[in-house]
Amino acid sequence: MERVIIFDTTLRDGEQAAGGTLNVREKLEIARQLEKLGVDVIEAGFPISSAGDFEAVRLIAQEVHTPTICALARAHPDDIDRAWEAVKEAKHRRIHVFLSASDVHLLYQLKKSRQEILEMSRSMVARAKSYTDDVEFSPMDASRTEPEYIYQILEAVIDAGATTVNIPDTVGYAIPDEFGKLIEGIFQNVPNINRAVVSVHCHNDLGLAVANSLESLKRGARQVECTINGIGERAGNASLEEIVMAIKTRKDFFNLTISIDARQIYKTSRLVSELTGFLVQPNKAIVGANAFRHESGIHQDGVIKMPITYEIMDPRTVGIPASSLVLGKLSGRHAFQERLAELGYSLSETDLNRAFAAFKELADKKKEVADKDIESLIAQELRTVSEFYRLDRLQVTCGDRGIPTAAIRLIAPDGQVLADAALGTGPVDAVYKAINKIVMVPNALTEFSVKSVTEGIDAIGEVLIRIESDGITYTGRGADTDIIVASAKAYLNALNRLLAAKKASQEGG
Ligand code: KIV
Ligand code: ZN
């Protein structure tokens, strides 16, 4: 059986999804989880695009050792040099150079001839090769490019040292049979193709990203680029979990192997959803809340008698916890730790102490603490950004007669206790106005949503907000059994990210 290389671009193309910005620590946490999942390559970012992206790629290169760490670069010397600076400390490192190839891009965007593009591709691959043996090249918008021209570019870049040639369906325009033929044509018409791995990178504008990727594997591609939960630019990229489970479940059809530990899929999906703030739709294949739920009586009857009647995969194979054991206020530290281990968390002693204290506090308010509560609690306790402002006290009055009023007390970065109060159109508005009076950072609220983590009136409420400042979006999350407190925490979380980013950009000059 031949092996397929799983190239994960959640941290690069996935992060390009509107509103999905991650900070450096969050990227590192996702990279560590991707390593556990067993991906072969992590595209960690686009180092020239910002100081934060450079820092994230560099940190991942230093800390994550099993997968190859890849950095993206346009076909410009500065981009390639910066990409190398970011990945050079990785155990396995790759530079991924891309350049548009389609006539529409050449004519309207780059204003260059095909000959010029060919020359730039060749020389920039050679430059990347002077740094590392592992060089990938992508002719952007390949699915809308004349195949003969793609063949010429690929031959030239392989001669210049490219070891992977990636065929992007940049705008998600391709149809499986047509895209498959392009891949087949590449094997037939590029004389030196046996010196490189053929890769595909499909976008989901027509909902065909996974179908196009799988078709390409049938026609000989041996690397597939994908993201967790299918996040990415516009309608997203091919979803990693769908590709992986198609290859595994239909081994009889594909006859291919991959190095992924599928039991890590669910956890990775939850982590990416938590950190990016992008919810997974309930009917999403493999990781959606309904993916393994049977509603019809006939189906339930079949599954009880024999799961394979209506289940083509065992949910446990993708890491969906077998039981949803419920903990409560009498549960001890040991039971809590065991449950954490079953959910895939291994915490340091300090983090465990913090998480256990938070669990006890929650169990006092809520009779039953379910797995989803624990996940939310871990996210709250262990993933807070280095806090500038911390919520100390909050009090609101609201109702159908009075004027919503909020009084807030925050602990400032220097430990000072700051308090203020404000009126608003509702309790959340009053809370945000009171916080604004203290923090004084201009921003616009662009998204606010609240959802309950579990069923029941005592459920934890999780608030997700996005704020914008100087054209950049910052996401904030907060959870509490009181949704006004959760809203305040979410807002402070977003403000703290904004302040951290501003501080980093000032320090970086
Ligand atoms: O979609 C695309 O073409 C890309 C390239 C950078 C590979 O993301
Ligand atoms: Zn892309």
Side-chain angles (χ1 to χ4, degrees):
M1 273 198 280
E2 287 187 50
R3 202 171 99 78
V4 173
I5 297 165
I6 302 291
F7 177 116
D8 180 278
T9 183
T10 306
L11 297 176
R12 200 277 298 168
D13 217 329
E15 208 223 3
Q16 273 173 235
T21 353
L22 297 162
N23 66 30
V24 174
R25 263 185 38 194
E26 291 167 334
K27 286 188 182 178
L28 180 61
E29 187 173 355
I30 292 179
R32 289 207 165 109
Q33 180 57 30
L34 290 171
E35 182 177 38
K36 280 195 199 152
L37 177 65
V39 305
D40 299 286
V41 184
I42 294 176
E43 187 162 55
F46 187 7
I48 195 108
S49 67
S50 71
D53 232 33
F54 175 85
E55 200 39 53
V57 178
R58 200 165 65 107
L59 194 63
I60 292 168
Q62 287 165 343
E63 303 269 328
V64 179
H65 305 303
T66 316
T68 296
I69 308 302
C70 174
L72 185 70
R74 287 169 301 184
H76 291 306
D78 292 351
D79 277 46
I80 292 167
D81 299 350
R82 193 89 176 128
W84 172 245
E85 276 304 308
V87 290
K88 69 179 180 196
E89 287 178 58
K91 190 158 173 224
H92 314 283
R93 56 263 170 121
R94 174 180 296 186
I95 298 176
H96 177 188
V97 183
F98 74 98
L99 183 58
S100 284
S102 65
D103 285 342
V104 259
H105 283 207
L106 267 54
L107 188 64
Y108 298 109
Q109 196 179 12
L110 301 184
K111 304 194 189 326
K112 291 205 184 297
S113 70
R114 284 187 175 188
Q115 196 49 44
E116 284 172 296
I117 295 291
L118 191 70
E119 201 30 61
M120 281 168 77
S121 307
R122 191 200 324 263
S123 64
M124 290 304 111
V125 165
R127 188 179 187 99
K129 192 75 177 182
S130 71
Y131 290 126
T132 171
D133 269 348
D134 192 344
V135 177
E136 172 167 334
F137 180 80
S138 293
M140 192 154 82
D141 204 17
S143 53
R144 292 193 301 168
T145 305
E146 196 187 303
E148 278 65 33
Y149 182 50
I150 296 276
Y151 306 152
Q152 272 179 33
I153 297 182
L154 297 188
E155 184 178 355
V157 296
I158 294 171
D159 268 345
T163 41
T164 300
V165 286
N166 179 44
I167 313 303
D169 179 21
T170 304
V171 290
Y173 179 75
I175 302 294
D177 185 53
E178 170 198 52
F179 198 59
K181 284 192 177 118
L182 173 63
I183 302 300
E184 229 166 53
I186 287 169
F187 282 105
Q188 286 157 4
N189 294 289
V190 179
N192 52 4
I193 198 68
N194 60 339
R195 284 167 32 204
V197 172
V198 174
S199 166
V200 288
H201 174 111
C202 300
H203 278 271
N204 208 29
D205 299 65
L206 294 174
L208 293 170
V210 170
N212 283 327
S213 306
L214 293 174
E215 183 65 32
S216 311
L217 296 180
K218 271 176 65 191
R219 315 268 186 135
R222 287 295 172 263
Q223 174 177 287
V224 65
E225 304 199 351
C226 41
T227 60
I228 301 296
N229 299 338
I231 62 168
E233 186 81 44
R234 305 181 311 279
N237 289 63
S239 138
L240 179 144
E241 57 278 6
E242 292 176 23
I243 290 174
V244 163
M245 290 318 288
I247 296 174
K248 283 189 184 271
T249 309
R250 296 305 311 273
K251 209 176 209 157
D252 59 318
F253 183 78
F254 289 105
N255 203 27
L256 292 167
T257 61
I258 43 178
S259 62
I260 297 291
D261 177 359
R263 287 164 307 170
Q264 294 290 336
I265 284 180
Y266 179 71
K267 173 140 192 267
T268 318
S269 162
R270 299 280 312 148
L271 179 68
V272 169
S273 170
E274 289 264 2
L275 295 185
T276 56
F278 293 133
L279 301 180
V280 174
Q281 75 201 55
N283 60 325
K284 167 83 177 63
I286 320 296
V287 289
N290 290 349
F292 294 96
R293 266 193 196 156
H294 304 274
E295 192 67 21
S296 117
I298 297 173
H299 290 211
Q300 288 176 348
D301 174 63
V303 170
I304 290 166
K305 288 177 176 149
M306 178 57 87
I308 55 161
T309 49
Y310 291 94
E311 251 175 22
I312 59 164
M313 295 166 273
D314 180 337
R316 283 168 302 187
T317 59
V318 295
I320 294 180
S323 73
S324 39
L325 195 82
V326 173
L327 300 179
K329 71 175 179 188
L330 297 179
S331 307
R333 191 186 157 88
H334 186 64
F336 179 65
Q337 197 173 2
E338 293 249 299
R339 196 69 207 132
L340 283 182
E342 275 164 34
L343 293 173
Y345 296 101
S346 74
L347 305 187
S348 68
E349 198 57 23
T350 331
D351 285 347
L352 180 65
N353 289 343
R354 273 178 70 185
F356 186 61
F359 160 73
K360 278 294 189 190
E361 201 181 308
L362 176 64
D364 269 341
K365 295 187 197 154
K366 197 172 181 285
K367 221 169 112 229
E368 297 182 331
V369 179
D371 291 346
K372 286 192 175 150
D373 293 318
I374 296 178
E375 283 170 1
S376 166
L377 179 149
I378 296 283
Q380 273 291 296
E381 284 307 306
L382 309 182
R383 290 195 203 112
T384 40
V385 243
S386 44
E387 288 186 312
F388 284 79
Y389 288 92
R390 200 154 42 82
L391 181 66
D392 184 38
R393 276 187 202 175
L394 158 66
Q395 198 172 344
V396 289
T397 48
C398 62
D400 65 345
R401 296 294 141 99
I403 302 171
T405 314
I408 285 274
R409 210 161 80 173
L410 302 182
I411 313 286
D414 57 4
Q416 239 188 303
V417 178
L418 304 169
D420 219 318
L423 306 176
T425 49
V428 175
D429 185 44
V431 166
Y432 284 17
K433 283 187 173 137
I435 293 177
N436 284 345
K437 282 182 164 180
I438 301 173
V439 179
M440 289 193 294
V441 186
N443 70 83
L445 181 72
T446 56
E447 198 180 321
F448 176 93
S449 67
V450 54
K451 75 172 172 71
S452 80
V453 171
T454 52
E455 289 106 41
I457 200 72
D458 60 352
I460 292 183
E462 236 173 31
V463 171
L464 171 98
I465 71 159
R466 293 190 212 277
I467 58 174
E468 211 180 281
S469 169
D470 294 333
I472 302 177
T473 300
Y474 301 89
T475 305
R477 284 170 296 269
D480 201 279
T481 44
D482 180 322
I483 56 168
I484 306 297
V485 176
S487 305
K489 285 182 180 171
Y491 188 41
L492 281 172
N493 185 241
L495 285 174
N496 283 335
R497 282 161 194 269
L498 191 166
L499 291 166
K502 291 226 184 307
K503 185 167 170 241
S505 79
Q506 276 156 11
E507 283 168 1

